Amino acid sequence: PKTYTQILVEKRGEKNNVGFIQLNRRKSLNALCEELMLELSHALDEYEKDKNVGAIVITGIGKAFAAGADIKEMEGLDFTKVYGGDFLSNWTHITKITKPIIAAVNGFALGGGCELAMMCDIIYAGEKASFGQPEIILGTIPGAGGTQRLPRVVGKSMAMEMCLTGDRVNAQQALQAGLVSKVLPDEQLVDEAVKTAEKIASYSKVATSMCKEAINTAYETSSERMVSTLKETFTRNDRREGMSAFVAKRKPEFTDS
Ligand code: CAA
């Protein structure tokens, strides 16, 4: 297995079916440098391939989930380099992962860090979490979803306010706005995220992936695709097994087929 230097990776849950990733650049508040993003993509791909893993949890070490793209790395870039090169090229890789991903936001989720959390499927916040798109303070704009995903989630006014002022919102405000689904005491955050991931991992992986795809479709294009994905589940054994088991009042035995 590959050795990582920017992230910590281990399987969690009673059945080892949760892929756990902790961003591990404590000194720079988990700023998302290129190396970290490459490692994250690699680790996600490994979990995607792992037949035992049914859901993934991403969190950060220390007082940040992630303080954004690495400003020290970006500082010297110019337009030719960011336009022609592979700048941010692997950033959306996470959206290609079909297994459900939970972001356990333990602290600052700023700029690309907030966008990374929004590319996950469920966001839990610790009490100390805060969210923001401070790019405007740096003379730039959010580039990985802040201008697209954020307004869809929190509405136009709040998204505009966050992106145009760079002000942060705290965990409670994020909950109120629907950006996160739960706020948890800091010391319980990761355990609760893993518990939810375990529950998701106990279901048919084809059904959870299709469900994720169908919901994400609501955030992208038309709702027609949702119906066709629902129909697609009817080509799978697990849909039949799940419904048969319900009707027979027994536990389903999914075969991921
Ligand atoms: N990139 C690189 N280094 C960063 C960083 C980042 N995004 N965020 C923090 N750091 C570094 C700091 O430079 C500092 O390093 P040194 O010890 O070498 O000085 C270290 O992490 C600790 O940071 P602070 O001393 O600033 O800690 P603080 O507690 O006083 O402040 C903070 C915390 C409010 C999060 C502050 O660090 C901050 O504002 N960081 C920048 C946040 C930001 O602007 N993010 C958006 C980046 S742009 C982006 O993400 C583009 C995109 O859409 C893809």
Side-chain angles (χ1 to χ4, degrees):
K2 185 174 155 63
T3 354
Y4 299 113
T5 58
Q6 313 288 315
I7 59 176
L8 299 168
V9 168
E10 67 181 20
K11 285 204 253 175
R12 294 229 178 147
E14 263 171 43
K15 293 184 178 159
N16 260 343
N17 54 6
V18 174
F20 179 78
I21 299 172
Q22 186 164 38
L23 310 180
N24 187 32
R25 293 185 79 203
R26 190 189 288 269
K27 286 197 182 123
S28 55
L29 305 183
N30 302 322
L32 304 166
C33 63
E34 205 181 320
E35 181 67 16
L36 185 151
M37 292 310 286
L38 279 171
E39 290 191 3
L40 179 61
S41 293
H42 187 274
L44 288 167
D45 284 342
E46 291 297 301
Y47 285 146
E48 179 83 344
K49 278 186 267 175
D50 188 328
K51 287 198 167 55
N52 197 43
V53 167
I56 297 162
V57 170
I58 302 178
T59 191
I61 203 158
K63 64 175 184 175
F65 175 72
D70 192 312
I71 302 168
K72 289 167 188 167
E73 227 176 50
M74 288 186 295
E75 193 202 344
L77 296 178
D78 60 21
F79 180 71
T80 321
K81 284 185 193 139
V82 299
Y83 195 74
D86 54 6
F87 178 61
L88 298 184
S89 63
N90 53 14
W91 270 64
T92 52
H93 185 73
I94 185 169
T95 63
K96 306 279 188 299
I97 302 298
T98 65
K99 292 178 182 176
I101 306 175
I102 303 177
V105 176
N106 52 301
F108 295 115
L110 304 178
C114 185
E115 294 171 314
L116 175 64
M118 289 190 289
M119 282 187 261
C120 297
D121 303 304
I122 296 174
I123 309 179
Y124 284 0
E127 280 164 339
K128 285 202 199 75
S130 66
F131 299 81
Q133 297 291 161
E135 287 87 346
I136 203 80
I137 300 170
L138 303 169
T140 181
I141 67 166
T147 58
Q148 307 298 310
R149 289 192 184 88
L150 188 63
R152 276 183 216 144
V153 175
V154 305
K156 177 172 161 177
S157 177
M158 188 164 169
M160 282 283 188
E161 189 173 346
M162 285 174 72
C163 292
L164 291 174
T165 65
D167 288 348
R168 299 196 282 269
V169 300
N170 64 27
Q172 284 304 332
Q173 291 168 312
L175 179 68
Q176 228 169 28
L179 181 57
V180 309
S181 54
K182 276 196 184 115
V183 177
L184 295 151
D186 296 309
E187 64 283 3
Q188 288 171 23
L189 172 69
V190 165
D191 287 348
E192 288 300 318
V194 170
K195 253 191 234 165
T196 301
E198 278 186 281
K199 182 184 268 191
I200 293 168
S202 75
Y203 302 135
S204 161
K205 293 181 192 63
V206 290
T208 54
S209 290
M210 284 179 175
C211 183
K212 164 174 172 158
E213 189 191 346
I215 292 177
N216 280 334
T217 304
Y219 284 86
E220 278 142 26
T221 48
S222 77
S223 55
E224 276 160 32
R225 178 85 192 122
M226 253 185 304
V227 178
S228 72
T229 308
L230 167 72
K231 286 179 185 164
E232 266 171 48
T233 66
F234 282 72
T235 64
R236 306 304 164 112
N237 294 326
D238 282 344
R239 195 279 320 162
R240 183 179 298 276
E241 168 62 9
M243 291 190 182
S244 302
F246 176 84
V247 173
K249 299 192 189 299
R250 61 175 172 81
K251 273 192 97 170
E253 288 193 17
F254 294 122
T255 53
D256 304 323
S257 61

PDB file of all heavy atoms in Angstrom, residues 8 40 50 55 58 65 77 80 82 86 91-92 98 101 150 164 172 182-183 185-186 191 194 204 246 253:
ATOM      1  N   LEU A   8      -3.973  10.836   6.905  1.00  0.00           N
ATOM      2  CA  LEU A   8      -3.954   9.571   7.642  1.00  0.00           C
ATOM      3  C   LEU A   8      -5.141   8.758   7.154  1.00  0.00           C
ATOM      4  O   LEU A   8      -6.229   9.299   6.990  1.00  0.00           O
ATOM      5  CB  LEU A   8      -4.091   9.825   9.149  1.00  0.00           C
ATOM      6  CG  LEU A   8      -2.982  10.667   9.797  1.00  0.00           C
ATOM      7  CD1 LEU A   8      -3.395  11.083  11.208  1.00  0.00           C
ATOM      8  CD2 LEU A   8      -1.682   9.878   9.830  1.00  0.00           C
ATOM      9  N   LEU A  40      -5.335  12.494  -1.432  1.00  0.00           N
ATOM     10  CA  LEU A  40      -6.764  12.332  -1.142  1.00  0.00           C
ATOM     11  C   LEU A  40      -7.448  11.586  -2.291  1.00  0.00           C
ATOM     12  O   LEU A  40      -8.214  10.645  -2.061  1.00  0.00           O
ATOM     13  CB  LEU A  40      -7.406  13.711  -0.925  1.00  0.00           C
ATOM     14  CG  LEU A  40      -8.911  13.739  -0.633  1.00  0.00           C
ATOM     15  CD1 LEU A  40      -9.239  12.980   0.653  1.00  0.00           C
ATOM     16  CD2 LEU A  40      -9.422  15.188  -0.518  1.00  0.00           C
ATOM     17  N   ASP A  50     -12.377  -0.902  -2.856  1.00  0.00           N
ATOM     18  CA  ASP A  50     -12.419  -1.866  -1.754  1.00  0.00           C
ATOM     19  C   ASP A  50     -13.856  -2.381  -1.545  1.00  0.00           C
ATOM     20  O   ASP A  50     -14.739  -1.640  -1.124  1.00  0.00           O
ATOM     21  CB  ASP A  50     -11.907  -1.174  -0.481  1.00  0.00           C
ATOM     22  CG  ASP A  50     -11.731  -2.150   0.680  1.00  0.00           C
ATOM     23  OD1 ASP A  50     -12.504  -3.132   0.761  1.00  0.00           O
ATOM     24  OD2 ASP A  50     -10.834  -1.911   1.499  1.00  0.00           O
ATOM     25  N   ALA A  55     -18.894   3.214   2.895  1.00  0.00           N
ATOM     26  CA  ALA A  55     -19.020   4.669   3.033  1.00  0.00           C
ATOM     27  C   ALA A  55     -17.685   5.212   3.536  1.00  0.00           C
ATOM     28  O   ALA A  55     -16.849   4.455   4.056  1.00  0.00           O
ATOM     29  CB  ALA A  55     -20.146   5.033   4.004  1.00  0.00           C
ATOM     30  N   ILE A  58     -14.432  11.858   5.937  1.00  0.00           N
ATOM     31  CA  ILE A  58     -13.255  12.735   5.827  1.00  0.00           C
ATOM     32  C   ILE A  58     -13.305  13.762   6.952  1.00  0.00           C
ATOM     33  O   ILE A  58     -14.339  14.402   7.169  1.00  0.00           O
ATOM     34  CB  ILE A  58     -13.213  13.476   4.469  1.00  0.00           C
ATOM     35  CG1 ILE A  58     -13.198  12.483   3.305  1.00  0.00           C
ATOM     36  CG2 ILE A  58     -11.987  14.394   4.393  1.00  0.00           C
ATOM     37  CD1 ILE A  58     -13.215  13.135   1.925  1.00  0.00           C
ATOM     38  N   PHE A  65     -10.684  21.813   9.588  1.00  0.00           N
ATOM     39  CA  PHE A  65     -11.032  20.771   8.616  1.00  0.00           C
ATOM     40  C   PHE A  65     -10.074  20.996   7.451  1.00  0.00           C
ATOM     41  O   PHE A  65      -9.233  20.148   7.167  1.00  0.00           O
ATOM     42  CB  PHE A  65     -12.495  20.931   8.192  1.00  0.00           C
ATOM     43  CG  PHE A  65     -12.916  19.980   7.100  1.00  0.00           C
ATOM     44  CD1 PHE A  65     -13.074  18.638   7.360  1.00  0.00           C
ATOM     45  CD2 PHE A  65     -13.177  20.453   5.817  1.00  0.00           C
ATOM     46  CE1 PHE A  65     -13.474  17.752   6.341  1.00  0.00           C
ATOM     47  CE2 PHE A  65     -13.578  19.579   4.807  1.00  0.00           C
ATOM     48  CZ  PHE A  65     -13.720  18.232   5.073  1.00  0.00           C
ATOM     49  N   LEU A  77       1.632  31.891  -8.758  1.00  0.00           N
ATOM     50  CA  LEU A  77       1.057  31.489 -10.047  1.00  0.00           C
ATOM     51  C   LEU A  77       0.529  32.700 -10.817  1.00  0.00           C
ATOM     52  O   LEU A  77       0.100  33.676 -10.222  1.00  0.00           O
ATOM     53  CB  LEU A  77      -0.102  30.509  -9.826  1.00  0.00           C
ATOM     54  CG  LEU A  77       0.244  29.159  -9.194  1.00  0.00           C
ATOM     55  CD1 LEU A  77      -1.020  28.331  -9.004  1.00  0.00           C
ATOM     56  CD2 LEU A  77       1.258  28.403 -10.043  1.00  0.00           C
ATOM     57  N   THR A  80      -1.410  32.464 -17.014  1.00  0.00           N
ATOM     58  CA  THR A  80      -0.986  31.428 -17.975  1.00  0.00           C
ATOM     59  C   THR A  80      -0.828  30.091 -17.274  1.00  0.00           C
ATOM     60  O   THR A  80      -1.247  29.060 -17.780  1.00  0.00           O
ATOM     61  CB  THR A  80       0.376  31.817 -18.607  1.00  0.00           C
ATOM     62  OG1 THR A  80       0.359  33.220 -18.829  1.00  0.00           O
ATOM     63  CG2 THR A  80       0.619  31.082 -19.888  1.00  0.00           C
ATOM     64  N   VAL A  82      -2.253  29.058 -14.370  1.00  0.00           N
ATOM     65  CA  VAL A  82      -3.481  28.443 -13.860  1.00  0.00           C
ATOM     66  C   VAL A  82      -4.426  28.061 -15.000  1.00  0.00           C
ATOM     67  O   VAL A  82      -5.212  27.125 -14.883  1.00  0.00           O
ATOM     68  CB  VAL A  82      -4.257  29.333 -12.839  1.00  0.00           C
ATOM     69  CG1 VAL A  82      -3.411  29.616 -11.628  1.00  0.00           C
ATOM     70  CG2 VAL A  82      -4.788  30.602 -13.441  1.00  0.00           C
ATOM     71  N   ASP A  86      -2.210  22.320 -14.903  1.00  0.00           N
ATOM     72  CA  ASP A  86      -3.194  21.405 -14.306  1.00  0.00           C
ATOM     73  C   ASP A  86      -3.668  21.902 -12.937  1.00  0.00           C
ATOM     74  O   ASP A  86      -4.036  21.119 -12.063  1.00  0.00           O
ATOM     75  CB  ASP A  86      -2.662  19.968 -14.245  1.00  0.00           C
ATOM     76  CG  ASP A  86      -1.324  19.895 -13.551  1.00  0.00           C
ATOM     77  OD1 ASP A  86      -0.869  20.935 -13.020  1.00  0.00           O
ATOM     78  OD2 ASP A  86      -0.721  18.803 -13.549  1.00  0.00           O
ATOM     79  N   TRP A  91      -9.245  18.520  -8.236  1.00  0.00           N
ATOM     80  CA  TRP A  91     -10.121  18.956  -7.149  1.00  0.00           C
ATOM     81  C   TRP A  91     -11.509  18.338  -7.181  1.00  0.00           C
ATOM     82  O   TRP A  91     -12.106  18.124  -6.144  1.00  0.00           O
ATOM     83  CB  TRP A  91     -10.241  20.483  -7.148  1.00  0.00           C
ATOM     84  CG  TRP A  91      -9.169  21.065  -6.295  1.00  0.00           C
ATOM     85  CD1 TRP A  91      -7.827  20.979  -6.529  1.00  0.00           C
ATOM     86  CD2 TRP A  91      -9.338  21.764  -5.066  1.00  0.00           C
ATOM     87  NE1 TRP A  91      -7.147  21.596  -5.509  1.00  0.00           N
ATOM     88  CE2 TRP A  91      -8.051  22.093  -4.605  1.00  0.00           C
ATOM     89  CE3 TRP A  91     -10.449  22.154  -4.328  1.00  0.00           C
ATOM     90  CZ2 TRP A  91      -7.845  22.781  -3.423  1.00  0.00           C
ATOM     91  CZ3 TRP A  91     -10.236  22.858  -3.153  1.00  0.00           C
ATOM     92  CH2 TRP A  91      -8.952  23.153  -2.710  1.00  0.00           C
ATOM     93  N   THR A  92     -12.021  18.128  -8.380  1.00  0.00           N
ATOM     94  CA  THR A  92     -13.390  17.610  -8.427  1.00  0.00           C
ATOM     95  C   THR A  92     -13.410  16.081  -8.475  1.00  0.00           C
ATOM     96  O   THR A  92     -14.462  15.485  -8.580  1.00  0.00           O
ATOM     97  CB  THR A  92     -14.168  18.167  -9.638  1.00  0.00           C
ATOM     98  OG1 THR A  92     -13.368  17.935 -10.799  1.00  0.00           O
ATOM     99  CG2 THR A  92     -14.431  19.650  -9.477  1.00  0.00           C
ATOM    100  N   THR A  98     -18.411   7.052  -6.177  1.00  0.00           N
ATOM    101  CA  THR A  98     -19.831   6.683  -6.113  1.00  0.00           C
ATOM    102  C   THR A  98     -20.277   6.312  -4.694  1.00  0.00           C
ATOM    103  O   THR A  98     -21.467   6.309  -4.404  1.00  0.00           O
ATOM    104  CB  THR A  98     -20.150   5.494  -7.052  1.00  0.00           C
ATOM    105  OG1 THR A  98     -19.452   4.339  -6.573  1.00  0.00           O
ATOM    106  CG2 THR A  98     -19.726   5.785  -8.483  1.00  0.00           C
ATOM    107  N   ILE A 101     -19.989   9.830   0.984  1.00  0.00           N
ATOM    108  CA  ILE A 101     -18.884  10.426   1.743  1.00  0.00           C
ATOM    109  C   ILE A 101     -19.439  11.420   2.764  1.00  0.00           C
ATOM    110  O   ILE A 101     -20.238  12.289   2.424  1.00  0.00           O
ATOM    111  CB  ILE A 101     -17.901  11.162   0.806  1.00  0.00           C
ATOM    112  CG1 ILE A 101     -17.414  10.221  -0.310  1.00  0.00           C
ATOM    113  CG2 ILE A 101     -16.708  11.711   1.608  1.00  0.00           C
ATOM    114  CD1 ILE A 101     -16.532  10.896  -1.352  1.00  0.00           C
ATOM    115  N   LEU A 150     -22.780  26.351  -3.057  1.00  0.00           N
ATOM    116  CA  LEU A 150     -23.200  27.092  -1.862  1.00  0.00           C
ATOM    117  C   LEU A 150     -24.572  27.763  -2.032  1.00  0.00           C
ATOM    118  O   LEU A 150     -25.446  27.575  -1.181  1.00  0.00           O
ATOM    119  CB  LEU A 150     -22.119  28.106  -1.455  1.00  0.00           C
ATOM    120  CG  LEU A 150     -22.343  28.814  -0.116  1.00  0.00           C
ATOM    121  CD1 LEU A 150     -22.325  27.819   1.051  1.00  0.00           C
ATOM    122  CD2 LEU A 150     -21.282  29.901   0.110  1.00  0.00           C
ATOM    123  N   LEU A 164     -19.155  37.523  -0.789  1.00  0.00           N
ATOM    124  CA  LEU A 164     -18.809  38.929  -1.030  1.00  0.00           C
ATOM    125  C   LEU A 164     -18.155  39.595   0.175  1.00  0.00           C
ATOM    126  O   LEU A 164     -17.420  40.566   0.024  1.00  0.00           O
ATOM    127  CB  LEU A 164     -20.060  39.715  -1.454  1.00  0.00           C
ATOM    128  CG  LEU A 164     -20.612  39.341  -2.839  1.00  0.00           C
ATOM    129  CD1 LEU A 164     -21.930  40.056  -3.114  1.00  0.00           C
ATOM    130  CD2 LEU A 164     -19.593  39.651  -3.937  1.00  0.00           C
ATOM    131  N   GLN A 172     -23.779  26.544  14.280  1.00  0.00           N
ATOM    132  CA  GLN A 172     -25.235  26.710  14.446  1.00  0.00           C
ATOM    133  C   GLN A 172     -25.854  27.414  13.250  1.00  0.00           C
ATOM    134  O   GLN A 172     -26.919  27.033  12.767  1.00  0.00           O
ATOM    135  CB  GLN A 172     -25.546  27.487  15.736  1.00  0.00           C
ATOM    136  CG  GLN A 172     -25.407  26.675  17.018  1.00  0.00           C
ATOM    137  CD  GLN A 172     -26.256  25.395  17.032  1.00  0.00           C
ATOM    138  OE1 GLN A 172     -27.308  25.301  16.395  1.00  0.00           O
ATOM    139  NE2 GLN A 172     -25.778  24.371  17.732  1.00  0.00           N
ATOM    140  N   LYS A 182     -26.086  18.037  11.021  1.00  0.00           N
ATOM    141  CA  LYS A 182     -26.015  17.890  12.485  1.00  0.00           C
ATOM    142  C   LYS A 182     -24.870  18.717  13.048  1.00  0.00           C
ATOM    143  O   LYS A 182     -23.828  18.842  12.405  1.00  0.00           O
ATOM    144  CB  LYS A 182     -25.714  16.424  12.865  1.00  0.00           C
ATOM    145  CG  LYS A 182     -26.903  15.525  12.932  1.00  0.00           C
ATOM    146  CD  LYS A 182     -26.579  14.233  13.671  1.00  0.00           C
ATOM    147  CE  LYS A 182     -27.801  13.326  13.628  1.00  0.00           C
ATOM    148  NZ  LYS A 182     -27.578  12.100  12.876  1.00  0.00           N
ATOM    149  N   VAL A 183     -25.077  19.237  14.262  1.00  0.00           N
ATOM    150  CA  VAL A 183     -23.963  19.820  15.013  1.00  0.00           C
ATOM    151  C   VAL A 183     -23.742  18.927  16.226  1.00  0.00           C
ATOM    152  O   VAL A 183     -24.691  18.583  16.932  1.00  0.00           O
ATOM    153  CB  VAL A 183     -24.269  21.258  15.479  1.00  0.00           C
ATOM    154  CG1 VAL A 183     -23.121  21.804  16.314  1.00  0.00           C
ATOM    155  CG2 VAL A 183     -24.516  22.165  14.277  1.00  0.00           C
ATOM    156  N   PRO A 185     -21.083  17.729  19.690  1.00  0.00           N
ATOM    157  CA  PRO A 185     -19.960  18.099  20.541  1.00  0.00           C
ATOM    158  C   PRO A 185     -18.658  17.640  19.869  1.00  0.00           C
ATOM    159  O   PRO A 185     -18.632  16.541  19.272  1.00  0.00           O
ATOM    160  CB  PRO A 185     -20.213  17.306  21.829  1.00  0.00           C
ATOM    161  CG  PRO A 185     -21.675  17.014  21.824  1.00  0.00           C
ATOM    162  CD  PRO A 185     -22.070  16.887  20.383  1.00  0.00           C
ATOM    163  N   ASP A 186     -17.621  18.457  19.941  1.00  0.00           N
ATOM    164  CA  ASP A 186     -16.394  18.172  19.191  1.00  0.00           C
ATOM    165  C   ASP A 186     -15.868  16.755  19.397  1.00  0.00           C
ATOM    166  O   ASP A 186     -15.448  16.100  18.453  1.00  0.00           O
ATOM    167  CB  ASP A 186     -15.310  19.193  19.577  1.00  0.00           C
ATOM    168  CG  ASP A 186     -15.713  20.591  19.165  1.00  0.00           C
ATOM    169  OD1 ASP A 186     -16.086  20.773  17.988  1.00  0.00           O
ATOM    170  OD2 ASP A 186     -15.696  21.494  20.021  1.00  0.00           O
ATOM    171  N   ASP A 191     -16.828  10.017  15.852  1.00  0.00           N
ATOM    172  CA  ASP A 191     -17.519   8.763  16.177  1.00  0.00           C
ATOM    173  C   ASP A 191     -18.924   8.731  15.586  1.00  0.00           C
ATOM    174  O   ASP A 191     -19.362   7.709  15.056  1.00  0.00           O
ATOM    175  CB  ASP A 191     -17.621   8.576  17.696  1.00  0.00           C
ATOM    176  CG  ASP A 191     -16.275   8.208  18.299  1.00  0.00           C
ATOM    177  OD1 ASP A 191     -15.359   7.889  17.514  1.00  0.00           O
ATOM    178  OD2 ASP A 191     -16.144   8.246  19.538  1.00  0.00           O
ATOM    179  N   VAL A 194     -18.695   8.233  11.872  1.00  0.00           N
ATOM    180  CA  VAL A 194     -18.373   6.828  11.562  1.00  0.00           C
ATOM    181  C   VAL A 194     -19.610   5.950  11.770  1.00  0.00           C
ATOM    182  O   VAL A 194     -19.894   5.055  10.971  1.00  0.00           O
ATOM    183  CB  VAL A 194     -17.168   6.328  12.402  1.00  0.00           C
ATOM    184  CG1 VAL A 194     -16.999   4.815  12.272  1.00  0.00           C
ATOM    185  CG2 VAL A 194     -15.882   7.037  11.978  1.00  0.00           C
ATOM    186  N   SER A 204     -27.283  -2.162   0.794  1.00  0.00           N
ATOM    187  CA  SER A 204     -26.756  -2.563  -0.508  1.00  0.00           C
ATOM    188  C   SER A 204     -25.924  -1.434  -1.098  1.00  0.00           C
ATOM    189  O   SER A 204     -26.396  -0.291  -1.190  1.00  0.00           O
ATOM    190  CB  SER A 204     -27.917  -2.852  -1.458  1.00  0.00           C
ATOM    191  OG  SER A 204     -27.444  -2.808  -2.799  1.00  0.00           O
ATOM    192  N   PHE A 246     -38.504  -7.081   2.886  1.00  0.00           N
ATOM    193  CA  PHE A 246     -39.459  -6.229   3.596  1.00  0.00           C
ATOM    194  C   PHE A 246     -40.821  -6.904   3.663  1.00  0.00           C
ATOM    195  O   PHE A 246     -41.448  -6.991   4.714  1.00  0.00           O
ATOM    196  CB  PHE A 246     -39.600  -4.866   2.910  1.00  0.00           C
ATOM    197  CG  PHE A 246     -40.651  -4.010   3.563  1.00  0.00           C
ATOM    198  CD1 PHE A 246     -40.344  -3.257   4.686  1.00  0.00           C
ATOM    199  CD2 PHE A 246     -41.959  -3.978   3.078  1.00  0.00           C
ATOM    200  CE1 PHE A 246     -41.307  -2.481   5.308  1.00  0.00           C
ATOM    201  CE2 PHE A 246     -42.941  -3.219   3.693  1.00  0.00           C
ATOM    202  CZ  PHE A 246     -42.623  -2.464   4.821  1.00  0.00           C
ATOM    203  N   GLU A 253     -30.555  -9.882   2.651  1.00  0.00           N
ATOM    204  CA  GLU A 253     -29.162 -10.296   2.488  1.00  0.00           C
ATOM    205  C   GLU A 253     -28.660  -9.768   1.168  1.00  0.00           C
ATOM    206  O   GLU A 253     -28.869 -10.381   0.112  1.00  0.00           O
ATOM    207  CB  GLU A 253     -29.058 -11.815   2.572  1.00  0.00           C
ATOM    208  CG  GLU A 253     -29.277 -12.295   3.987  1.00  0.00           C
ATOM    209  CD  GLU A 253     -28.883 -13.743   4.213  1.00  0.00           C
ATOM    210  OE1 GLU A 253     -28.142 -14.305   3.384  1.00  0.00           O
ATOM    211  OE2 GLU A 253     -29.343 -14.293   5.223  1.00  0.00           O
TER     212      GLU A 253
END
